[in-house]
């Protein structure tokens, strides 16, 4: 018995429309399904990345803020693979998304940077060669 991979990551947004625009238009994730759940007064948006992995975007009435600094225990950040880090950083900056300076992973030699989603969730771009 073994794990096969990550199926999806779930994110709760404080402003559903703003986060939907960020993940769909700016990051380019494909919409699989979008459903309003009346009983929970909640949206659930299923998004797909090119490798088949998925991100679920939820809205809930008045979600509590995510502890970030100092960093809390638990999930630290979500990292996306990119083939061209410079092009993606330029795209994000063109869309008004601030990125940290590009760094190099001391163990792998790969370049990466961090940025944030509309709720300040830390996201990473990690450069890997295209398959």
């Amino acid at each position: 018995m073994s794990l096969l991979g990550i199926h999806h990551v779930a994110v709760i947004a404080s402003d559903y429309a703003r986060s939907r625009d960020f993940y769909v238009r700016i990051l380019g994730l494909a919409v699989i399904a979008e459903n309003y759940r009346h009983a929970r007064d909640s949206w659930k948006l299923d998004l797909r990345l090119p490798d088949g992995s998925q991100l679920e975007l939820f809205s809930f009435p008045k979600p509590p803020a995510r502890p970030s600094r100092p960093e809390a225990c638990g999930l630290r950040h979500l990292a996306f693979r990119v083939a061209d880090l410079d092009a993606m950083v330029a795209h994000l900056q063109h869309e008004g998304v601030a990125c940290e300076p590009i760094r190099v992973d001391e163990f792998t030699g790969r370049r990466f940077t961090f940025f944030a989603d509309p709720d300040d969730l830390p996201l990473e771009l990690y450069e890997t060669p295209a398959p």
Side-chain angles (χ1 to χ4, degrees), residues 19-32 47-51 53 55 80 88 91-92 95 115:
S19 289
R20 185 190 193 287
D21 179 67
F22 178 81
Y23 284 100
V24 173
R25 185 181 62 80
I26 295 175
L27 294 187
L29 278 64
V31 174
I32 299 168
L47 302 167
R48 181 181 301 119
L49 284 89
D51 70 355
S53 59
L55 189 141
F80 296 104
M88 191 64 183
H91 168 71
L92 290 173
E95 293 290 341
F115 63 108

Side-chain angles (χ1 to χ4, degrees), residues 27-44:
L27 294 187
L29 278 64
V31 174
I32 299 168
E34 184 171 30
N35 296 289
Y36 182 72
R37 303 174 314 163
H38 292 279
R40 296 181 182 188
D41 190 19
S42 168
W43 283 97
K44 180 179 184 279

Side-chain angles (χ1 to χ4, degrees), residues 34-106:
E34 184 171 30
N35 296 289
Y36 182 72
R37 303 174 314 163
H38 292 279
R40 296 181 182 188
D41 190 19
S42 168
W43 283 97
K44 180 179 184 279
L45 177 64
D46 297 317
L47 302 167
R48 181 181 301 119
L49 284 89
D51 70 355
S53 59
Q54 297 178 24
L55 189 141
E56 293 178 343
L57 182 64
F58 290 95
S59 70
F60 290 104
K62 300 179 182 157
R66 177 188 185 276
S68 188
R69 288 173 181 66
E71 291 187 81
C73 286
L75 186 63
R76 184 173 183 214
H77 64 268
L78 172 59
F80 296 104
R81 293 190 317 255
V82 295
D84 186 341
L85 183 61
D86 296 316
M88 191 64 183
V89 167
H91 168 71
L92 290 173
Q93 290 174 336
H94 176 75
E95 293 290 341
V97 177
C99 295
E100 292 182 2
I102 293 174
R103 296 183 270 169
V104 176
D105 184 311
E106 64 182 297

